[in-house]
Amino acid sequence: MKDFYVSHEKLAEIAKQYPTPFYLYDEKGIRENMERVKRAFAWNTGYREYFAVKATPNPYLLELMKDGSFGVDCSSLTELMLSDAVGFSGEQIMFSSNETPDEDFRFAHRLGATINLDDFTHIEILNRLCGIPETICCRYNPGGVFQASNAIMDNPGDAKYGFTRDQLFEGFRLLQQLGAKHFGIHAFLASNTTGNEYYPVLARQLFQLAVDLHRETGAHIAFVNLSGGVGVPYRPEQKPADILRIGKAVHKVYEEVLVPEGMGDVKLFTEMGRFMIAPYGCLVATAIREKHIYKEYIGLDACAANLMRPAMYGSYHRVTVSGKEDLPCDHKYDIVGGLCENNDKFAVDRMLPKISMGDFIVIHDTGAHGHAMGYNYNGKLRSAELLLKEDGSVKLIRRAETPADYFATLDYPGLPKL
Ligand SMILES: *Cc1c(COP(=O)(O)O)cnc(C)c1O
């Protein structure tokens, strides 16, 4: 088994107290991965990982990040509120949002967060709302396609984010006039990259841009933020990204591009979400129905409202049948949820051991962008989140929704109240 695995006995014990479906996160795995990330970038004295809150917005998991001296990357008012509640403040918060409402800018400014502007027009808006802080960041979009070793990784020219190159130079000059003294540049140009080349290629572009911006505007470049995008091996044949090698390769580019320019004090930041938690979380559901028509279907007590990635992106997630990990995968199933949408399928034509009703079905690598994307379509309720602690105990870190939660925004006779 790769990464996070919980024995059938343990799952059965947990499910007695907390009925399925639930998300289960592995504290030990998360902490070990955090240490690897820190080691990978330890060569940069100002390095900080700002965990992307949107990936898994649970305060108990944010506490782990805080414990490891990580920061948080927020993109909305409520993510800022969550981070504030956990005790993040000032430069521990990066605010990388887009189409940002006034209220969000004001609150980020009040917390002293480092504001990462998504657009040239936001300079005037921020200035009007709260003034330009001494430290400010701008998000860059180079346009065109993003290529690493001749393969197209993504298409920034089609993405809504960031300043064009010209806008960035003009923006830095305007921000200087308005009082900014220390600058950051940020870009997120490819998502879920599984090779080791994404960060080094992006770093070379951003470091060179930092040099050009410094030369042309005289601005002090305080940091370069490589944002998120480091992927995880969802498919069994994929290899995990090697963060230590990635760190080394970024170091080499830093020495080649920034150090000769006398810019060896530039801090390196990252905003990984997926890489930090996805492999250390799983969705545990129970097989509750089976049907035999033109195909063999197994129906779960979880659905796309609990995990949207397969329905939304056609994403692959490894599926195992708890307690049957060593049995031959000699049955072909579609593993489905109960939404009235035919894309509500966690796995299609998947070879698995024979499944019996009541078996626990584990959907792996769902620790990030899993529960967070949950919704209530078809009146389905979001599941609980549990943390498997290092001492083997289990902590309920978010209870499951009840019908009263679903009806909470309605004031109507006969409906349950919270
Ligand atoms: C989503 C997002 C991240 C995290 O992305 P991952 O793919 O989870 O690493 C980081 N920064 C910004 C601005 C984002 O929108």
Side-chain angles (χ1 to χ4, degrees):
M1 294 304 297
K2 281 204 276 185
D3 50 72
F4 183 32
Y5 166 72
V6 182
S7 72
H8 182 67
E9 292 67 35
K10 183 78 185 172
L11 274 191
E13 180 196 320
I14 297 171
K16 259 193 216 142
Q17 193 175 359
Y18 305 108
T20 62
F22 54 76
Y23 275 84
L24 185 61
Y25 303 97
D26 175 27
E27 176 178 5
K28 184 162 181 286
I30 294 170
R31 285 194 190 272
E32 286 172 358
N33 193 43
M34 289 171 64
E35 287 310 310
R36 272 194 297 277
V37 167
K38 276 202 259 188
R39 233 184 306 139
F41 297 100
W43 54 266
N44 185 272
T45 31
Y47 172 72
R48 183 176 270 156
E49 150 71 7
Y50 291 87
F51 173 67
V53 174
K54 74 161 192 266
T56 323
N58 187 300
Y60 296 93
L61 298 177
L62 297 187
E63 275 181 8
L64 300 185
M65 301 296 155
K66 185 142 199 305
D67 214 31
S69 315
F70 283 20
V72 278
D73 162 38
C74 299
S75 60
S76 66
L77 182 70
T78 48
E79 289 180 4
L80 287 167
M81 292 168 77
L82 201 54
S83 303
D84 181 35
V86 174
F88 291 97
S89 67
E91 62 183 24
Q92 297 168 321
I93 306 175
M94 185 68 60
F95 185 54
S96 296
S97 70
N98 67 94
E99 317 317 326
T100 315
D102 291 359
E103 192 185 9
D104 297 29
F105 269 137
R106 283 202 195 94
F107 191 54
H109 188 261
R110 182 133 51 86
L111 294 180
T114 302
I115 295 176
N116 179 19
L117 297 172
D118 182 67
D119 190 61
F120 184 82
T121 60
H122 295 188
I123 297 172
E124 287 296 353
I125 293 168
L126 182 64
N127 189 43
R128 174 168 51 75
L129 292 173
C130 14
I132 298 296
E134 285 202 349
T135 301
I136 190 86
C137 183
C138 296
R139 185 168 182 165
Y140 173 51
N141 182 336
V145 293
F146 184 79
Q147 269 181 301
S149 36
N150 292 324
I152 292 176
M153 297 183 84
D154 222 316
N155 199 351
D158 271 349
K160 66 177 176 174
Y161 309 107
F163 292 51
T164 68
R165 188 180 162 93
D166 288 348
Q167 286 174 339
L168 210 52
F169 285 80
E170 203 183 329
F172 269 43
R173 289 198 184 91
L174 178 56
L175 285 161
Q176 281 174 311
Q177 285 165 22
L178 296 172
K181 300 219 163 21
H182 311 291
F183 289 80
I185 49 177
H186 168 284
F188 189 161
L189 303 184
S191 194
N192 192 29
T193 60
T194 46
N196 292 330
E197 68 276 29
Y198 171 62
Y199 265 4
V201 171
L202 174 67
R204 187 175 293 281
Q205 283 195 20
L206 292 185
F207 293 164
Q208 189 56 54
L209 179 65
V211 168
D212 297 346
L213 280 162
H214 175 62
R215 277 195 192 147
E216 285 200 29
T217 68
H220 171 235
I221 311 294
F223 64 87
V224 168
N225 185 343
L226 299 179
S227 192
V230 179
V232 299
Y234 288 111
R235 291 177 177 272
E237 69 273 15
Q238 284 178 313
K239 280 211 298 223
D242 182 342
I243 200 68
L244 293 170
R245 276 183 62 176
I246 292 173
K248 256 192 202 146
V250 173
H251 188 189
K252 185 162 168 283
V253 179
Y254 188 96
E255 294 288 334
E256 282 172 23
V257 181
L258 287 177
V259 173
E261 295 289 328
M263 294 171 70
D265 63 337
V266 172
K267 294 176 190 169
L268 187 76
F269 295 161
T270 55
E271 293 174 341
M272 292 180 279
R274 190 186 314 273
F275 184 79
M276 297 315 306
I277 300 197
Y280 315 107
C282 59
L283 172 59
V284 180
T286 301
I288 58 166
R289 300 289 180 252
E290 59 190 314
K291 61 185 290 181
H292 319 280
I293 51 171
Y294 309 103
K295 297 180 85 173
E296 293 294 301
Y297 291 94
I298 297 293
L300 304 186
D301 56 1
C303 67
N306 304 109
L307 173 67
M308 178 153 57
R309 298 187 73 256
M312 187 172 180
Y313 310 118
S315 307
Y316 183 100
H317 281 276
R318 282 182 304 122
V319 170
T320 53
V321 185
S322 180
K324 298 185 174 175
E325 290 83 358
D326 297 326
L327 297 185
C329 293
D330 51 4
H331 285 65
K332 190 194 273 189
Y333 294 113
D334 280 13
I335 308 292
V336 304
L339 290 189
C340 305
E341 287 283 348
N342 197 37
N343 65 359
D344 186 9
K345 297 179 176 176
F346 294 113
V348 175
D349 295 334
R350 190 72 61 89
M351 296 305 295
L352 290 167
K354 180 170 171 47
I355 295 173
S356 309
M357 292 304 90
D359 280 350
F360 296 133
I361 307 296
V362 182
I363 306 171
H364 295 267
D365 303 322
T366 49
H369 309 294
H371 189 283
M373 284 191 189
Y375 56 109
N376 286 121
Y377 189 51
N378 267 190
K380 296 291 186 179
L381 303 176
R382 273 173 287 226
S383 77
E385 292 182 291
L386 308 173
L387 181 61
L388 178 61
K389 311 254 292 182
E390 285 185 292
D391 64 8
S393 65
V394 170
K395 182 181 164 90
L396 179 69
I397 58 173
R398 186 194 300 271
R399 68 163 172 81
E401 285 180 343
T402 65
D405 293 303
Y406 179 66
F407 295 125
T409 48
L410 293 171
D411 190 3
Y412 195 82
L415 290 176
K417 291 253 182 272
L418 269 179

